[in-house]
Amino acid sequence: TAGYWNPGALVRINYPEITLMHDERFGGLFNYDFASVALPYGPDVSLGISLIRLGVDGIPDTRNAWIDNNGNGIFDNVDRLDYDKISYFSSADWALFLTYSKKVDETFSYGANVKFVRRSLGDQSATGIGFDIGLLYSPFTDFYLGVNAQDVTTTLVSWSTGRNELISPTMKLGTAYFFDMLGGRFAPTVDVDIRFENRRFASIAHIGPISLDPHVGLEYELGGLAALRLGYNDVKQVSFGAGVHLRRLDIDYSFARVQNRELGDTHRISLRLIFQEDRFARGSE
């Protein structure tokens, strides 16, 4: 998943991997899906391809279903709908990531994404291309600092209607530390999204036009076989998770509850398949 979170970290894999994730957000209102393939290449490079879809499906289109009984073009009664003429469409964002990641030495690695964006809304669509740059630094054992500059050159998205929009850069800074305690391994994490969109009223904190949205998390892993997780994000959402780690397969699940109960809960499940065989290992012929 480093292709999304931090391309500089993808080089840490030692075997080919496939990841699939499905997220039903707000009681299934949004569907969020992710798939990726990552390969070690040579002694110090990894390559990856990732695909993301975030969409709302089954949106009713009633534009051609109204019956104008008055002939004045004013529709204020639901009984004037011809339900047989209602069609349905989706609103979806797609993103395809091509990732390159390289290890400089045991403490530092970097990576980059080329990503292609596709948006659709009914019979309208948009395309764009963007770039991400990620860095991972470990100044001492089990302590990591990460930086991911998303849409670093500002991503232009061009609509079929002739309208253009810009996706501004986002800087993600994060840190994690691993230590042993209570018969297992703890990993507290903290990160912050730094945006430059003047989000004065849609962020946790801001300094002029720069907004700051922090997240914190904690993982407890027991014997490398099972993990429990707790998180808190910038929309005041608490999430809980658990994972089972087998030799070649990881299964992870998380649950998040929002303050507004009418929106419903969020469930996420992911599978990671690791081709953990000597013939596929990094450095093998």
Side-chain angles (χ1 to χ4, degrees):
T1 61
Y4 173 79
W5 293 110
N6 184 344
L10 191 65
V11 74
R12 293 181 57 80
I13 67 170
N14 290 314
Y15 299 92
E17 297 185 6
I18 296 175
T19 299
L20 301 173
M21 185 275 292
H22 177 67
D23 180 322
E24 292 190 355
R25 191 163 296 189
F26 304 134
L29 179 63
F30 284 85
N31 287 305
Y32 178 32
D33 296 289
F34 174 86
S36 69
V37 177
L39 304 171
Y41 182 76
D44 54 10
V45 170
S46 285
L47 305 174
I49 181 170
S50 307
L51 182 66
I52 292 176
R53 182 187 185 270
L54 174 64
V56 180
D57 301 303
I59 304 171
D61 184 350
T62 62
R63 289 176 295 180
N64 298 319
W66 290 99
I67 302 173
D68 189 359
N69 291 329
N70 299 323
N72 57 11
I74 299 175
F75 309 113
D76 55 9
N77 190 337
V78 71
D79 292 335
R80 292 175 180 165
L81 272 176
D82 184 347
Y83 290 92
D84 292 333
K85 294 183 179 180
I86 296 177
S87 59
Y88 297 87
F89 67 96
S90 299
S91 174
D93 286 0
W94 294 82
L96 177 68
F97 294 73
L98 303 178
T99 304
Y100 173 87
S101 183
K102 181 176 176 57
K103 180 173 69 174
V104 177
D105 53 38
E106 294 304 320
T107 64
F108 180 71
S109 61
Y110 65 88
N113 288 328
V114 179
K115 61 184 179 184
F116 302 91
V117 178
R118 176 76 173 179
R119 288 180 167 173
S120 62
L121 179 61
D123 55 0
Q124 300 176 7
S125 61
T127 56
I129 184 171
F131 303 92
D132 307 328
I133 296 175
L135 308 174
L136 185 66
Y137 177 57
S138 178
F140 52 86
T141 303
D142 293 331
F143 179 74
Y144 299 91
L145 297 170
V147 180
N148 187 14
Q150 295 181 324
D151 303 290
V152 65
T153 60
T154 303
T155 299
L156 173 66
V157 179
S158 178
W159 283 87
S160 57
T161 59
R163 178 182 176 182
N164 295 327
E165 62 179 279
L166 297 175
I167 301 176
S168 299
T170 298
M171 183 76 72
K172 294 177 178 287
L173 305 177
T175 183
Y177 179 59
F178 297 83
F179 62 91
D180 296 330
M181 182 183 289
L182 301 177
R185 197 180 200 197
F186 282 87
T189 69
V190 61
D191 67 73
V192 60
D193 292 347
I194 304 174
R195 296 184 175 91
F196 308 90
E197 302 172 343
N198 200 23
R199 293 191 179 194
R200 297 176 183 270
F201 304 104
S203 62
I204 297 297
H206 71 272
I207 304 173
I210 302 175
S211 63
L212 306 172
D213 292 309
H215 318 83
V216 295
L218 177 66
E219 178 186 73
Y220 173 70
E221 188 176 70
L222 182 62
L225 297 176
L228 298 175
R229 305 182 183 98
L230 175 67
Y232 187 77
N233 64 20
D234 55 302
V235 295
K236 301 179 181 179
Q237 187 179 55
V238 178
S239 57
F240 306 89
V244 177
H245 305 305
L246 307 176
R247 183 173 181 267
R248 294 174 177 165
L249 179 68
D250 289 356
I251 304 172
D252 293 290
Y253 168 79
S254 71
F255 168 82
R257 173 161 288 178
V258 295
Q259 289 183 327
N260 187 342
R261 298 298 301 128
E262 295 181 359
L263 289 177
D265 300 321
T266 294
H267 301 270
R268 175 179 295 184
I269 187 168
S270 67
L271 303 174
R272 183 173 69 141
L273 179 63
I274 307 169
F275 294 84
Q276 194 169 345
E277 298 182 19
D278 292 342
R279 58 180 174 148
F280 297 135
R282 180 182 296 279
S284 66
E285 294 183 359

